Amino acid sequence: TACLSRALRRHQGSREVALHPFSSMLVPSIAALLSSVASTPAAGVVLADDRSPAGERRLPERRHLHERSMRGGGGTLFQRFFPRTPGEQPEVISSPLEHALPNVDDGGLGKAYTSVPEPPRKWDVCVVGAGLSGGVIAERYATLRKQSVLIVEKRRHIAGNCYDFLDDQTGLRLNLYGPHNFHTKLTNVWDYVKRFGRWAHYYHKKLAWSEGRFVPFPLNTETLNTIYDQHLMGANETAAFLAKIAEPCGPGGCSNSEQQSVASVGRAAYNQFYRGYTLKQWGVDPSQLDALVTGRISVRSDFDNRYFTDRYQSQPRDGYTRWMAGILSDPLIDLVLGVDWFDVQQRLAGRCGKLIFTGPIDHYFADSGLPKLTYRSLRFEKLAVLNIGEHGYYQPGTSVNYPEMAVPFTRSTEYKHYPGQPRSNHTVVVRETSGADGEPYYPVPNPRNHALYAKYKALADKEALKGVHFVGRLANYKYFNMDQAIDNALRIFDGLDRDSAPGRPPVKKRKKEHKGGAHEDALHFD
């Protein structure tokens, strides 16, 4: 498709048509396809840079209403890609993304308490938080060591930020706290997660809406051809072009995110795709953020438009909530939902052997006198597009980034594109806006927070002597991808297990397959 797009652009510009050598074997099929498409007015081929001689974008009648809205066209928000029934018009309803739970949601386990069981009940391990880190450690203790576990979760559901549910309005499965895309290079993590449910193979792809058009993201050869009006054809040409536009950092390396970005993609691409997005996401200029935030920007020297290149990429067929229910299904695990640990910790004094804390570390040490760590939060706006048809979609892919400052939100996700969704005559798009207030999502990596966390870490090390251990994104003040969170919990369990029984071999010896640290989506491009 990328080769065809470039060839048609060259042809329209009265240039010689040149296809990638690999595509030559596809030319007869492409010619037949174009002939078929041209003879069917109801279906059209729309190129990303199809422009009139005057420079104005020429759009077919069935253009995307998203595009009209973003360009100031007004009226309806979007038009789907597939033909609607003549005369049928979708209805668009905007509202905050909410999910009213009638009581608690334990993923169908039917065993959740809404208050802590009374004495004399005791547990070998108490876990604060029913998200990825807490769930994995609870499962390990119950399954491998046959120890009793109590999980206390402040929210009224399991699965932490992975929690998903079926939307009453459209029947589609949505994430309450933003989309989650599982991907990993770690074989041990993949072997672990697939034990607890069915998974559907899924390669996540992302687009960026910039200067009135969709372009592939992260940057690849096709993106560079589009934004720089180039005709790069292979890895060598792309690498040479990137080297030409990049502005390398000095001998001491890059000291902030702006320098890191410009060293990777050049000044123009940085201004177009990264600066505005980072400002909206983090609330500060990239020059004020650590280089690690953009230290692993993915730039492709080919036409690979997958967002991740990890070996294992899938989504749970029945959703993350049901998958997490499988992790927590062991009868040795007791589950308490809708209860704040700090409201019941006195009642549980002396009733827990170990304590695993997965919440914000500064909340645990609120009485220490130390300042609070800072986080970024998210707000979600739900657009329900009704009566668009079973094959109707709001946007051309699952996820779209909006790096321009003129657009208040950072990205939009259309959940209907995900595998395993129920059939629906509607679709849902969720837009995200970043802010400083609300649920803590992203630790803010800057010198102030690094120094402050070191003080909290010193307090946590002392608590470890009392049998209290801090695990996970909020407790370690470090962003983890899902696979990193799971791997981290597995490793911590192995360490704690060996410490409690000196001489006992680890449950499973694993080779470390990749480094932790800044995640691939540090810019919230996940």
Side-chain angles (χ1 to χ4, degrees):
T1 303
C3 294
L4 175 61
S5 175
R6 293 197 310 279
L8 290 176
R9 281 210 309 273
R10 291 187 175 190
H11 179 68
Q12 289 175 337
S14 299
R15 298 185 181 94
E16 181 182 355
V17 176
L19 290 172
H20 190 279
F22 174 76
S23 67
S24 62
M25 65 185 73
L26 303 178
V27 168
S29 298
I30 291 173
L33 173 63
L34 289 178
S35 176
S36 173
V37 168
S39 63
T40 309
V45 175
V46 183
L47 297 179
D49 59 353
D50 183 14
R51 300 178 185 277
S52 68
E56 297 179 355
R57 187 174 177 83
R58 293 189 285 108
L59 295 167
E61 259 186 43
R62 299 188 307 102
R63 66 182 179 179
H64 307 175
L65 300 182
H66 163 278
E67 189 163 310
R68 291 175 56 194
S69 175
M70 302 305 295
R71 293 170 61 87
T76 313
L77 286 176
F78 209 4
Q79 182 168 349
R80 65 182 186 171
F81 283 83
F82 297 91
R84 288 194 304 267
T85 302
E88 179 190 355
Q89 293 296 325
E91 177 184 6
V92 181
I93 300 175
S94 174
S95 63
L97 178 62
E98 299 173 338
H99 179 51
L101 288 169
N103 191 4
V104 294
D105 186 354
D106 63 1
L109 291 173
K111 69 174 187 177
Y113 297 95
T114 55
S115 61
V116 174
E118 296 296 327
R121 290 286 301 278
K122 293 184 178 181
W123 297 269
D124 297 307
V125 181
C126 289
V127 178
V128 180
L132 284 176
S133 299
V136 169
I137 284 190
E139 184 275 330
R140 294 286 83 184
Y141 274 111
T143 302
L144 297 182
R145 298 302 169 221
K146 306 303 178 185
Q147 295 184 350
S148 58
V149 182
L150 172 69
I151 298 179
V152 180
E153 169 59 59
K154 181 179 180 180
R155 292 168 173 170
R156 294 194 298 156
H157 58 74
I158 62 172
N161 284 358
C162 295
Y163 175 72
D164 52 22
F165 62 96
L166 292 179
D167 177 45
D168 292 335
Q169 195 173 23
T170 63
L172 296 170
R173 183 177 292 108
L174 311 180
N175 287 107
L176 188 57
Y177 306 98
H180 284 70
N181 303 293
F182 181 82
H183 57 98
T184 187
K185 298 180 177 69
L186 302 174
T187 301
N188 68 294
V189 172
W190 175 240
D191 289 341
Y192 179 82
V193 302
K194 67 182 182 181
R195 294 171 49 204
F196 303 102
R198 302 180 304 156
W199 289 76
H201 183 72
Y202 170 74
Y203 282 124
H204 187 59
K205 298 179 182 180
K206 186 183 288 286
L207 298 169
W209 172 261
S210 179
E211 297 183 351
R213 58 189 172 188
F214 293 108
V215 293
F217 197 89
L219 271 64
N220 63 11
T221 304
E222 182 67 12
T223 315
L224 295 172
N225 282 339
T226 301
I227 64 177
Y228 287 105
D229 193 25
Q230 296 293 307
H231 303 290
L232 307 171
M233 296 296 290
N236 292 336
E237 289 184 25
T238 303
F241 182 76
L242 285 170
K244 179 180 177 181
I245 64 175
E247 299 178 16
C249 298
C254 301
S255 61
N256 59 59
S257 288
E258 178 181 358
Q259 293 179 4
Q260 182 67 56
S261 300
V262 173
S264 299
V265 298
R267 181 68 58 178
Y270 161 74
N271 288 331
Q272 185 170 347
F273 293 103
Y274 295 96
R275 185 175 186 276
Y277 196 103
T278 307
L279 277 167
K280 292 192 291 184
Q281 174 65 16
W282 295 99
V284 296
D285 191 85
S287 62
Q288 304 302 311
L289 285 172
D290 285 359
L292 65 87
V293 173
T294 53
R296 289 167 68 180
I297 284 179
S298 180
V299 182
R300 310 273 169 75
S301 58
D302 53 27
F303 295 95
D304 185 356
N305 63 350
R306 295 174 301 161
Y307 193 67
F308 308 109
T309 58
D310 294 340
R311 179 179 181 183
Y312 307 106
Q313 302 186 43
S314 290
Q315 292 288 106
R317 285 190 178 275
D318 301 312
Y320 284 101
T321 303
R322 293 293 298 273
W323 171 74
M324 179 59 73
I327 291 178
L328 302 179
S329 62
D330 194 290
L332 286 173
I333 298 176
D334 288 326
L335 185 61
V336 178
L337 298 179
V339 174
D340 191 327
W341 165 261
F342 296 102
D343 294 337
V344 297
Q345 62 177 335
Q346 295 302 323
R347 291 173 53 195
L348 290 169
R351 299 169 65 189
C352 298
K354 287 187 182 74
L355 177 64
I356 307 296
F357 186 81
T358 69
I361 190 171
D362 53 352
H363 194 178
Y364 185 91
F365 293 110
D367 297 332
S368 67
L370 291 174
K372 287 186 176 182
L373 294 162
T374 53
Y375 301 86
R376 295 294 287 176
S377 187
L378 297 172
R379 297 186 301 276
F380 301 97
E381 176 194 9
K382 170 188 169 186
L383 294 181
V385 186
L386 307 181
N387 301 315
I388 197 172
E390 182 180 337
H391 301 291
Y393 294 89
Y394 175 93
Q395 60 191 33
T398 308
S399 187
V400 178
N401 282 358
Y402 297 90
E404 297 175 351
M405 291 299 294
V407 181
F409 43 90
T410 53
R411 67 172 171 178
S412 63
T413 301
E414 184 173 13
Y415 285 91
K416 195 174 183 178
H417 288 280
Y418 279 117
Q421 285 285 6
R423 298 173 68 172
S424 176
N425 196 46
H426 318 295
T427 191
V428 173
V429 172
V430 176
R431 292 171 169 174
E432 302 176 26
T433 304
S434 179
D437 301 321
E439 290 274 348
Y441 281 80
Y442 298 97
V444 179
N446 58 33
R448 181 260 186 193
N449 286 328
H450 288 319
L452 182 55
Y453 171 70
K455 297 178 180 179
Y456 280 113
K457 179 66 166 59
L459 296 176
D461 291 341
K462 295 179 181 178
E463 287 292 289
L465 301 176
K466 306 175 186 177
V468 180
H469 306 279
F470 296 82
V471 184
R473 172 177 55 93
L474 299 177
N476 300 142
Y477 198 68
K478 178 180 180 181
Y479 192 94
F480 290 112
N481 287 326
M482 283 188 288
D483 67 323
Q484 293 169 336
I486 293 168
D487 187 59
N488 181 63
L490 292 172
R491 292 177 182 278
I492 287 178
F493 165 76
D494 284 355
L496 295 176
D497 188 53
R498 288 195 300 273
D499 291 344
S500 63
R504 175 185 289 166
V507 173
K508 182 179 181 181
K509 187 175 181 180
R510 296 189 298 272
K511 179 181 178 181
K512 191 171 182 180
E513 299 185 41
H514 75 157
K515 296 180 180 179
H519 67 305
E520 292 90 336
D521 306 322
L523 284 178
H524 182 183
F525 286 142
D526 176 43

